[in-house]
Structures are given as structure tokens and as C-alpha cells.
Amino acid sequence: MNIKIIGVGKLKEKYLKQGIAEYAKRLGTFCKFEIIEVPDEKAPETLSDAQMLMVKQKEGERILSKIKDKEYVYALAIEGKERSSEEFASELDNLGTYGKSDITFVIGGSLGLSKEVMQRADTKISFGRFTLPHQLMRLVLTEQVYRGFMINAGRPYHK
């Protein structure tokens, strides 16, 4: 199985990089795992709706250029479906069983994802109604993917 996370912006925080590196190493047992960073657009605090749309579209084009046709895409979005860790694990397992072994997760920038990226997504996933920094979300998502593989392997990590 191939798992890819596409994130907008460069991860700078050392503690987040270390956490992701640890889970990425652990994931090596189960899958090929990679994180792709696409550049974010500079977005001052006060943007018009048109400017916000433009930022999301530019970031969205960069994201879409990293997605192949055969990939099953999860868009991380507050309006997505919430899942328990066990439900998520089962979903990953089922995707692999039915030939969807290239799975891509997309984390937008500070303004979210473009309409085009949302339309390309096969499903939307939410980690709750909290707003989390998109950099932190990479670590949370990587841990949940690892947790899913551990649940599917029947290993005790997730308790």
C-alpha cells in the first residue's frame, strides 16, 4: 500500500518534524509512506473574498498536480465525515482489499481547500470541529494512519 500526505506549506517546527519522522519510520513496516509539501500562497490577514478564492485556487492547482488518476483521495475538511479510529482502520483495510492501494490525504493551507480539490476527493474526513493548525494536522493524521495499521494488524498499540 502507498500512503501519501499532501500538505500546503513548509513544516518548520522541529517537534512536529520529529513526531512525523517517528511515525513515518514505524509505518515503513506496513506501507510506503511519503509527505509532499506544496508551496503556500502569501495571504495577508485581510483578504477580500476574491483574493481568498485566488489563494485557494493557486494552492489547489499545486495539490492537484501531485495527484495521479488512480489515487484514492481523502480531503481533510471540517465538514467531512468523522470516523472512529476503528472505522478508519477498517476503511483503510477495505480500500486495500478492493484494489485501492494508492491512498492520498490532502491537508489544505490556512484558508482550506479549493472547490476543485474537494471535487477530486473520493471522500472527506473530519477530525472534529476543532480548528487545528494545518502543520499539527500532519502529525495527527500520520499518527492515525499508523494507529489504523496497528488495529488492522491486531497489535495492542491503539488501546
Side-chain angles (χ1 to χ4, degrees):
M1 185 170 272
N2 298 309
I3 304 281
K4 177 167 69 179
I5 295 175
I6 300 173
V8 173
K10 193 137 192 76
L11 194 59
K12 297 174 190 81
E13 295 83 355
K14 188 177 174 187
Y15 68 97
L16 293 175
K17 285 181 175 180
Q18 289 171 329
I20 291 168
E22 176 60 32
Y23 287 113
K25 184 175 77 177
R26 294 180 189 188
L27 277 166
T29 306
F30 302 106
C31 66
K32 181 178 177 278
F33 177 78
E34 69 175 320
I35 293 183
I36 295 173
E37 295 179 334
V38 298
D40 56 347
E41 280 294 304
K42 297 291 169 255
E45 288 298 312
T46 53
L47 288 178
S48 69
D49 288 350
Q51 289 169 316
M52 278 197 256
L53 191 61
M54 184 85 78
V55 166
K56 290 200 300 191
Q57 281 180 325
K58 285 181 181 175
E59 290 174 349
E61 287 167 12
R62 293 177 190 141
I63 290 167
L64 291 170
S65 75
K66 304 295 182 189
I67 299 173
K68 295 179 182 69
D69 287 345
K70 66 179 179 165
E71 293 173 16
Y72 188 88
V73 178
Y74 280 86
L76 274 71
I78 286 176
E79 70 273 13
K81 180 179 178 247
E82 290 183 37
R83 295 148 170 89
S84 68
S85 294
E86 291 78 10
E87 288 168 337
F88 181 57
S90 176
E91 209 169 292
L92 289 176
D93 195 42
N94 287 337
L95 286 169
T97 300
Y98 295 105
K100 301 278 186 193
S101 60
D102 293 305
I103 301 171
T104 297
F105 295 89
V106 179
I107 303 171
S110 57
L111 298 177
L113 292 166
S114 71
K115 179 177 54 119
E116 293 79 11
V117 172
M118 295 299 264
Q119 288 169 345
R120 170 58 183 90
D122 294 286
T123 190
K124 296 175 189 80
I125 187 168
S126 173
F127 283 75
R129 292 174 46 208
F130 285 113
T131 299
L132 296 172
H134 55 281
Q135 297 91 339
L136 176 60
M137 207 51 236
R138 289 186 207 178
L139 175 59
V140 172
L141 175 59
T142 304
E143 189 278 336
Q144 282 298 301
V145 170
Y146 175 70
R147 182 179 296 270
F149 278 109
M150 291 297 282
I151 290 169
N152 290 337
R155 309 256 289 276
Y157 169 81
H158 76 286
K159 293 292 179 201

